[in-house]
Amino acid sequence: MSYLDDMKRLLRLDGGVYADMMNRQRSLRYTVINVMVLGLIYGAASLYFSSEVLARSGVSDSPYNAMLVVMVGVSVAFLVHGAAALFIWVFCRALGGCPQFLPPYLNLGAAAIAAWPLAPFAARLQVSPNVLSGAAALVAAVYALSVGYTAVQAAAGLSRVKMVVCAIATLIYAGCFLYLWT
């Protein structure tokens, strides 16, 4: 199977694709591709939507600075991916899930493709929040969370009830963490 075939299965919420990717040793490659592209989309959207803010601060004076903003988006994507995978793994492990960290990390990274449509809306909301962007971001976030849920369940091997408990705990913890961070 090719990358596109695997991603179609993944986006259709087919949990079996993760074992297939792992058996063919494609999970790491797909994680790097999907998280990097997510970061590029987020960085480019941030640059586009915040160009006025950046111009006032003097950051957008050169192409080098624009590239720096986009690369920071990639760094943020990998940082958030790693942190989310760690939080999810801890909660899954507490409920008897997979003892290894790498399967949830790789599955969640491959599932990052579902967050590609969310990235521009997230960047837009940070600069100028509005109802339409908020609604679109909410729809994209729900879908991305659904794909992520399927990815983590495939890695953790938890029952549906334990997986729901894990998802709720993760969302509450991440929400509180983000609230304190902002």
Side-chain angles (χ1 to χ4, degrees), residues 36-51:
M36 184 174 61
V37 171
L38 175 63
L40 289 171
I41 293 169
Y42 177 73
S46 294
L47 185 65
Y48 177 77
F49 290 123
S50 63
S51 59

Side-chain angles (χ1 to χ4, degrees), residues 146-169:
S146 298
V147 174
Y149 176 90
T150 304
V152 172
Q153 187 174 26
L158 294 173
S159 69
R160 191 169 301 265
V161 173
K162 286 184 177 182
M163 202 50 217
V164 168
V165 170
C166 177
I168 291 170

Side-chain angles (χ1 to χ4, degrees), residues 30 32 46 49 70 83 85 100 104 113 118 123 127 139 146-147 163 166:
Y30 293 170
V32 170
S46 294
F49 290 123
V70 172
Q100 293 89 15
I113 191 171
L118 175 61
V127 175
V139 169
S146 298
V147 174
M163 202 50 217
C166 177

Side-chain angles (χ1 to χ4, degrees), residues 51-89:
S51 59
E52 183 179 315
V53 175
L54 292 172
R56 280 185 278 166
S57 68
V59 173
S60 63
D61 292 336
S62 73
Y64 171 76
N65 289 333
M67 182 61 87
L68 182 65
V69 170
V70 172
M71 289 296 104
V72 166
V74 173
S75 301
V76 166
F78 276 101
L79 179 68
V80 169
H81 166 249
L86 184 61
F87 289 146
I88 290 167
W89 174 73

Side-chain angles (χ1 to χ4, degrees), residues 1 14 23 56 70 96 107 133 145 153 162 175:
M1 292 191 112
D14 178 4
N23 290 336
R56 280 185 278 166
V70 172
N107 286 6
S133 292
L145 288 172
Q153 187 174 26
K162 286 184 177 182

Side-chain angles (χ1 to χ4, degrees), residues 22 85 88-90 92-93 97-106 155-156:
M22 194 71 76
I88 290 167
W89 174 73
V90 166
C92 286
R93 183 68 191 123
C98 178
Q100 293 89 15
F101 171 70
L102 216 48
Y105 177 84
L106 294 174

